[in-house]
Structures are given as structure tokens and as C-alpha cells.
Amino acid sequence: MKFKLKNKTVLITGGKGQLGSSLVESFRKQGSNVISVDVDDFDITSEKDVNNFFKKVYENRQIDVLINNAGVSTFDHFLDRKEKDFKWVCDVNLWGTYNMIKHYVKYFNEKCQKNGKIINVGSVYGVVSPDPRIYTDCLRKNSEVYGATKA
């Protein structure tokens, strides 16, 4: 990755996950000031948590790039899917992403920030169905709700 992001502040959600940790490392190598957040920092589905987070960050700096990378899935069998698990995936992957954008734009506007970028991480499984043959040796199967929320 060769971006002109040296000394820019990049906020990455899901920063402790597989993709997130790689993004954090890559942007740090580019010289970016990275704010990495994950579920143990705050809940992206909570308006209160997200608003408080942005309020605190914007007291001292602005965020130049928001990368909505956080995402979850449920790995139970389709026929055993529980409503709460389906809704959890939707809440994190859809509402959480929207919630982050909403509050980023709110503080961006309040602070009269001139430039900013938003990157929403999708998935190839939002475009094509997963090949079940690649999931033969584990329980971590790709779910339909994950694909729908990543499309």
C-alpha cells in the first residue's frame, strides 16, 4: 500500500482481527497515526459509546480516514440459526458501520474538517456464494447472513 497518509490519523474498527491487525500494521508502516479499536474498547452498535468515543478523540485531533473493518459472523448450521445470532451479525456489520459513519460525519462537520475519507470493508462473499468444500475441516463455515451484510 502506497498512500499519502504519513502523519494522518486513521481509525480502524475491528483492529485486533485477522484483516484489522494487517491494516493497522500497514498504515503504521506508512507513517499514519493509527487508532485501532475493537469490541473490548467500545461497542460500535451503541450510539452512546460511539458518540462518546468520537467526542473524546475530536477533543485533541481530527480523524482523516475512517476504516469500517469490524465484522462478525455466526458459524452454526443454517437450520439451527437463532434469531438473536442473525440479528447480532446485522447489528454489528450493518448498524455498527452506519453508526460509525454517522458520528464521524457529525464531528467532521462540527469541527469544520476540510478533508476526510471513509472506507467500508466488504467481502467477496457479499458478491459470490462461498464454496462449502473449503470448510470441510472446521466449524467456521461462512453464513448467509454474513454475505448479505457484507454485500
Side-chain angles (χ1 to χ4, degrees):
M1 290 189 330
K2 292 290 181 195
F3 302 110
K4 295 179 181 176
L5 293 170
K6 187 172 185 167
N7 298 321
K8 300 288 185 181
T9 300
V10 178
L11 169 59
I12 302 172
T13 66
K16 292 182 182 172
Q18 290 173 327
L19 180 57
S21 58
S22 293
L23 288 170
V24 168
E25 181 182 335
S26 295
F27 280 95
R28 284 191 175 140
K29 284 182 180 176
Q30 292 289 321
S32 301
N33 302 312
V34 177
I35 302 172
S36 172
V37 296
D38 214 296
V39 68
D40 55 349
D41 299 308
F42 67 92
D43 179 1
I44 66 169
T45 69
S46 164
E47 286 228 48
K48 181 180 176 185
D49 284 3
V50 171
N51 185 63
N52 288 341
F53 170 78
F54 277 104
K55 182 178 181 181
K56 184 176 179 180
V57 169
Y58 269 89
E59 287 174 357
N60 301 313
R61 66 175 104 174
Q62 69 181 27
I63 296 169
D64 301 294
V65 181
L66 166 61
I67 301 178
N68 284 307
N69 172 66
V72 297
S73 189
T74 182
F75 302 114
D76 52 345
H77 188 278
F78 174 79
L79 295 175
D80 297 327
R81 179 92 64 245
K82 296 191 176 31
E83 180 180 3
K84 70 176 180 65
D85 296 328
F86 188 96
K87 287 181 176 181
W88 171 66
V89 175
C90 291
D91 285 348
V92 173
N93 296 1
L94 294 175
W95 173 253
T97 297
Y98 170 79
N99 199 24
M100 292 296 293
I101 294 169
K102 175 183 173 181
H103 287 88
Y104 175 61
V105 170
K106 173 185 169 184
Y107 283 94
F108 181 97
N109 289 338
E110 282 182 11
K111 300 297 182 176
C112 300
Q113 189 173 329
K114 302 264 188 250
N115 295 301
K117 306 284 186 269
I118 299 172
I119 299 169
N120 296 320
V121 176
S123 171
V124 68
Y125 292 132
V127 180
V128 299
S129 295
D131 183 347
R133 293 174 296 181
I134 66 174
Y135 297 107
T136 59
D137 62 345
C138 68
L139 295 175
R140 201 170 171 169
K141 296 172 176 31
N142 191 286
S143 66
E144 79 298 331
V145 65
Y146 177 81
T149 61
K150 287 301 191 170

